[in-house]
Amino acid sequence: MPKEEIKKKQKTKLIALHSSNKTYEFSKPLEKKIKYMGKTVDVKLREDPDGFSYIVWKNKKYMLDIIEKNQNKYTIMINGVWHSFTVETPISLKRKKFLESQGEASSKVEITAPMPGKIIEILVENGSEVKEGEAVIILEAMKMQNEITSHVNGTVKNVNIRKSDTVMKDDVLVEIERS
Amino acid sequence: MKIKSILVANRGEIAIRIIRTAKKMNIRTYVIKTAKEPGAWYLEEADEIIDFTEDFSEIPEFLDIERIILAAKEKGVDAIHPGYGFLAENPTFAQRCEEEKIIFIGPSPDAIYRMGNKTIAKDLARNHKVPLLEGSKGNVKNADEAVEVAKSIGFPVILKAAAGGGGRGMRVVEREKDMERMFSLASNEAEKAFNNNAVFIEKFVREPRHIEFQILADKHGNIIHLGERECSIQRKHQKLLEESPSPVVDPELRKKMGEAAIRIAKSVDYYSAGTVEFLLDDNRDFYFMEMNTRIQVEHPVTELVTGIDLIEQMIRIAEGEKLPFKQADIKLKGWAIEFRINAEDVQSGFSPSLGTIEKISWPESENIRVDTGVRDGSVITPYFDSMIAKLIVYGDDRNKALQEASQAIRKFWIKGTKTTLAFCRAVLQNSNFRNGNFNTSFLSKELKIHYQFEPDEVLLAAFFAVYDYARDVEEQEEKSIDQRKSKNITPWLLNKRLR
């Protein structure tokens, strides 16, 4: 294939990369049509008078909403379930996959706060051995005490918080070196 | 005495629910406005607002007994309805109302006190031949004592807050080595939630059903039950879905459990609406857990199958009226299921999801009832619990109710926050749930994925993301072309003008 054509082809595609690593390709220019099991199916994007956005697809309505958007990162809520994507071009996707394969060598795992709250108790310290499923932090949110557990086996490398600290969602609480 | 005015010492959907019945009965209503949600919907539903926004008290507004009593006296209200939570099961509050000649719409302070104290409640059950689970004689002081008791009745055991309810201050302990940590978790949580860190131990029944009976009793000694509610679908002891009747309770078991519930209630000369909670095991043996001396979140399912307005009955009983029906008049008709819609992110372990409800809408039909305290623009704050709405569906039988529910949930749209609606869909899809074959371990064992979606939905979401992204890129390109154009033009124009 001549170079020009390859370039053209790459330019005419956008890919949604789902957090599960599944990809969804759409050709540009984008039309309100989706290729689905070998057929092209029309998609209708609508907004109803109440202010809900919805897609009509195969005669069914799907309520959907962008709940987070940051450059090419999207979180889309559809019928009450959210899905995270990054929108990539064929080139950026290739680069991303390459970088990820480089990154796998690193074995540090971060335990983050799943919700905003207050640190009630820290159950580990630097050097503690933890097992998958073991509680490392007690976090209080909405009047409930929640156990934050490690999702890997390993050694605690860093404790970033102190007792009674208030943390935001996604704050890194503890770093663990995978064993 | 006829009640002409009620102060509703609560917020959200239950405040609106109580006001609805009060309006029907031509009763004037008062509510409390707090700085935590000064624009909340319940405020507009009441006839008059009592302003607590100037926060001079350390005590949270809806727990401030003396401030509420003072406000009620200043406004000269006849009665206070506490709703659920907050002061609903606080004997001191009921007592203070009595002292100040304000009618407390609920049971006597003595009944609240005795049922609220789990040790006394258990003694009452034992003395009235109601089966119960063995456990510690009273509260346990520390983890060591807890281990001792646990060994005598056998692991697993459950630690429970003596003043508790709603799943807080509760921990299951499987092994001796977990006791110390679990004990401190349970008692800390109890301290925070109820201002009382006392906990007791009970034998833990693995995978029971949670079945509760609705009681109505007047001040003249008449007492009946309104059948059961099945509340086995729970997460960490918090109910998520309730139905009436239960798929496993037949008339014979209903009679047996209902009579036991009545014996318990009678033992404290109970009046008003109340609920007796039981565990039901595989052998269809039941055990008394506790009595809730208030209206419950899940009361609508009982209302739909009995046709009785429980709030109205509470008010009439408080006025001293006699119950207008006898046990034989109570017939359960059809099937009702309630779904609690919480502002929680099911995909992140049910973590709280704050934000603003941009839009909320649901399908209207005679078989659908929605009790909610939010509407378009309502803000979900971290100060109160995460329940934003209750969807209650009705059908002639369970299958019809399930069918109704599937359709209603599909058309129940909320924009602006993550909710448990996707969880409701997942439960409805589960064949064991549909067959009525489930217990309190349903969430942890049976339902592997706590939310449900179709593969098509991911495709459509992907399309939507790409479409939005492409539109943004296009817009930006247009802008930069405009800018380039203007850059080309401006210097020329400028030069011309300068010349």
Side-chain angles (χ1 to χ4, degrees):
Chain A
M1 212 186 283
K3 223 179 178 180
E4 277 293 294
E5 241 172 79
I6 293 172
K7 215 174 171 185
K8 203 174 161 197
K9 199 172 175 212
Q10 282 172 341
K11 251 195 146 170
T12 53
K13 244 187 206 168
L14 279 175
I15 301 152
L17 173 65
H18 188 243
S19 51
S20 66
N21 260 336
K22 207 171 166 195
T23 53
Y24 299 85
E25 282 186 19
F26 303 95
S27 354
K28 266 181 91 178
L30 219 54
E31 284 179 67
K32 289 179 183 167
K33 286 183 171 64
I34 298 179
K35 279 204 183 116
Y36 182 80
M37 298 171 76
K39 277 190 218 157
T40 307
V41 184
D42 281 332
V43 183
K44 289 187 193 115
L45 278 172
R46 292 269 189 276
E47 197 159 295
D48 76 359
D50 284 341
F52 288 108
S53 303
Y54 63 90
I55 280 187
V56 184
W57 163 257
K58 297 197 272 186
N59 296 320
K60 258 185 173 174
K61 274 187 189 179
Y62 295 83
M63 197 276 261
L64 81 189
D65 187 22
I66 300 174
I67 54 175
E68 261 173 295
K69 168 174 165 180
N70 184 5
Q71 292 179 348
N72 70 330
K73 291 194 181 78
Y74 279 83
T75 305
I76 307 285
M77 176 92 93
I78 180 158
N79 277 353
V81 179
W82 54 263
H83 301 279
S84 294
F85 301 95
T86 58
V87 180
E88 309 283 352
T89 62
I91 297 169
S92 73
L93 185 65
K94 218 171 167 184
R95 189 170 56 219
K96 197 174 171 132
K97 292 251 153 110
F98 174 73
L99 287 175
E100 266 169 20
S101 68
Q102 297 291 95
E104 259 168 34
S106 158
S107 59
K108 219 174 221 176
V109 176
E110 293 175 339
I111 309 290
T112 57
M115 62 199 102
K118 190 176 161 193
I119 304 294
I120 298 299
E121 220 169 324
I122 302 167
L123 306 167
V124 293
E125 51 190 30
N126 270 353
S128 300
E129 297 278 336
V130 290
K131 288 215 170 62
E132 187 183 332
E134 192 177 322
V136 289
I137 301 282
I138 310 290
L139 178 74
E140 188 181 80
M142 281 194 164
K143 295 179 189 161
M144 285 279 284
Q145 296 198 354
N146 304 279
E147 288 185 358
I148 312 298
T149 55
S150 170
H151 48 273
V152 294
N153 294 327
T155 313
V156 175
K157 281 289 159 214
N158 218 343
V159 179
N160 294 336
I161 35 94
R162 276 179 302 188
K163 204 171 165 171
S164 313
D165 278 0
T166 305
V167 295
M168 303 301 292
K169 185 178 189 297
D170 296 332
D171 276 0
V172 178
L173 308 175
V174 174
E175 289 165 60
I176 293 171
E177 180 106 19
R178 210 192 279 260
S179 58
Chain B
M1 185 199 137
K2 264 268 175 268
I3 292 172
K4 287 183 214 69
S5 57
I6 293 176
L7 166 58
V8 181
N10 217 303
R11 55 172 290 280
E13 66 91 15
I14 193 64
I16 294 174
R17 164 72 192 87
I18 294 163
I19 291 166
R20 202 179 72 214
T21 290
K23 274 184 181 161
K24 187 178 83 180
M25 299 171 77
N26 285 319
I27 295 169
R28 189 170 173 79
T29 51
Y30 295 75
V31 287
I32 293 164
K33 179 178 177 177
T34 72
K36 289 164 188 154
E37 43 170 16
W41 178 16
Y42 74 91
L43 297 166
E44 280 167 45
E45 295 298 304
D47 295 307
E48 205 168 313
I49 293 169
I50 299 170
D51 195 347
F52 274 19
T53 54
E54 268 174 56
D55 202 10
F56 57 76
S57 174
E58 291 269 295
I59 311 168
E61 298 85 343
F62 293 110
L63 293 176
D64 197 336
I65 296 179
E66 289 312 317
R67 200 174 174 191
I68 292 170
I69 296 273
L70 187 70
K73 284 177 73 183
E74 272 175 10
K75 297 285 180 186
V77 301
D78 295 337
I80 293 181
H81 198 304
Y84 51 68
F86 300 120
L87 293 173
E89 290 172 281
N90 184 314
T92 313
F93 183 57
Q95 180 71 44
R96 287 291 293 122
C97 288
E98 218 167 69
E99 284 164 12
E100 301 292 343
K101 307 269 180 290
I102 300 163
I103 298 172
F104 178 78
I105 303 174
S108 68
D110 174 67
I112 299 174
Y113 170 73
R114 290 205 274 166
M115 283 305 166
N117 183 307
K118 302 294 148 68
T119 314
I120 299 177
K122 280 188 151 183
D123 287 343
L124 286 168
R126 210 174 280 120
N127 296 341
H128 290 83
K129 304 210 163 20
V130 176
L132 76 161
L133 294 168
E134 282 318 316
S136 54
K137 303 259 177 295
N139 301 328
V140 284
K141 283 185 221 66
N142 52 44
D144 288 344
E145 192 187 332
V147 167
E148 229 169 84
V149 178
K151 277 181 170 166
S152 76
I153 57 176
F155 282 98
V157 295
I158 184 163
L159 292 165
K160 289 184 178 180
R168 275 184 255 151
M170 265 189 210
R171 285 291 187 281
V172 175
V173 189
E174 304 274 353
R175 293 170 297 255
E176 188 179 339
K177 78 175 188 55
D178 296 340
M179 183 61 86
E180 197 158 323
R181 187 161 51 92
M182 291 305 184
F183 186 89
S184 79
L185 276 176
S187 70
N188 283 349
E189 214 169 277
E191 171 78 41
K192 285 251 158 55
F194 316 108
N195 225 350
N196 177 353
N197 69 1
V199 294
F200 65 96
I201 294 189
E202 224 171 57
K203 175 79 186 151
F204 180 63
V205 188
R206 214 176 280 283
E207 308 189 357
R209 283 186 176 247
H210 175 125
I211 308 270
E212 60 185 32
F213 274 72
Q214 177 69 52
I215 295 291
L216 268 185
D218 63 23
K219 293 179 177 172
H220 309 278
N222 302 305
I223 179 163
I224 58 169
H225 73 82
L226 303 184
E228 76 281 3
R229 288 187 290 258
E230 161 73 67
C231 312
S232 298
I233 307 292
Q234 307 184 348
R235 180 181 174 274
K236 292 189 174 175
H237 304 287
Q238 304 243 29
K239 297 164 189 166
L240 291 168
L241 188 158
E242 303 96 346
E243 52 187 301
S244 184
S246 161
V248 289
V249 176
D250 56 22
E252 193 193 339
L253 184 60
R254 183 172 300 125
K255 187 161 182 281
K256 236 164 89 180
M257 292 178 80
E259 283 169 1
I262 286 174
R263 281 206 299 282
I264 288 276
K266 266 193 171 163
S267 73
V268 291
D269 300 320
Y270 199 85
Y271 55 78
S272 192
T275 297
V276 181
E277 297 190 334
F278 296 102
L279 293 180
L280 183 70
D281 70 13
D282 277 353
N283 305 322
R284 298 167 74 77
D285 286 329
F286 61 89
Y287 308 93
F288 168 71
M289 263 201 304
E290 60 180 33
M291 179 165 188
N292 295 318
T293 55
R294 57 169 152 84
I295 190 75
Q296 296 209 207
V297 173
E298 59 272 25
H299 75 274
V301 291
T302 298
E303 293 188 324
L304 292 192
V305 295
T306 59
I308 293 169
D309 180 337
L310 287 169
I311 301 288
E312 179 185 336
Q313 291 309 317
M314 285 179 88
I315 295 171
R316 294 194 186 284
I317 290 164
E319 287 173 335
E321 279 190 30
K322 279 187 181 167
L323 281 183
F325 16 68
K326 296 196 166 57
Q327 190 63 58
D329 301 331
I330 305 301
K331 299 268 187 304
L332 305 186
K333 186 172 167 283
W335 210 285
I337 310 176
E338 174 182 276
F339 299 84
R340 296 196 192 189
I341 301 170
N342 298 341
E344 287 172 11
D345 185 352
V346 179
Q347 290 161 270
S348 306
F350 291 81
S351 65
S353 178
L354 305 178
T356 302
I357 307 276
E358 286 168 48
K359 290 278 164 198
I360 177 166
S361 83
W362 57 82
E364 284 182 21
S365 120
E366 56 177 9
N367 290 331
I368 294 173
R369 165 172 164 185
V370 174
D371 284 13
T372 179
V374 302
R375 56 182 174 179
D376 295 357
S378 289
V379 180
I380 302 158
T381 71
Y383 306 112
F384 303 110
D385 76 33
S386 60
M387 193 179 77
I388 50 175
K390 306 186 297 200
L391 165 67
I392 310 109
V393 296
Y394 180 83
D396 292 337
D397 55 35
R398 191 164 188 269
N399 276 336
K400 293 215 172 84
L402 289 173
Q403 221 169 35
E404 195 78 43
S406 297
Q407 284 169 20
I409 284 168
R410 207 185 153 78
K411 290 179 189 150
F412 204 120
W413 287 3
I414 298 175
K415 185 175 171 181
T417 181
K418 294 166 183 167
T419 71
T420 47
L421 276 166
F423 166 80
C424 301
R425 287 170 69 190
V427 175
L428 280 172
Q429 290 278 324
N430 183 283
S431 58
N432 274 329
F433 174 76
R434 299 192 73 88
N435 296 333
N437 178 22
F438 56 90
N439 57 46
T440 46
S441 72
F442 180 78
L443 246 79
S444 53
K445 299 243 170 87
E446 167 71 22
L447 197 67
K448 291 287 177 247
I449 295 175
H450 290 166
Y451 51 97
Q452 193 255 332
F453 61 90
E454 301 154 20
D456 277 11
E457 293 174 358
V458 194
L459 173 70
L460 292 173
F463 172 78
F464 196 62
V466 167
Y467 190 85
D468 185 81
Y469 180 79
R471 202 169 46 186
D472 277 5
V473 169
E474 239 168 64
E475 262 173 34
Q476 242 159 37
E477 274 168 3
E478 268 168 32
K479 248 189 235 161
S480 70
I481 290 169
D482 286 348
Q483 266 170 13
R484 243 177 287 144
K485 269 186 198 157
S486 59
K487 260 181 208 155
N488 288 342
I489 291 163
T490 323
W492 184 80
L493 275 176
L494 212 64
N495 284 344
K496 208 174 178 180
R497 278 194 198 127
L498 281 173
R499 223 182 270 168

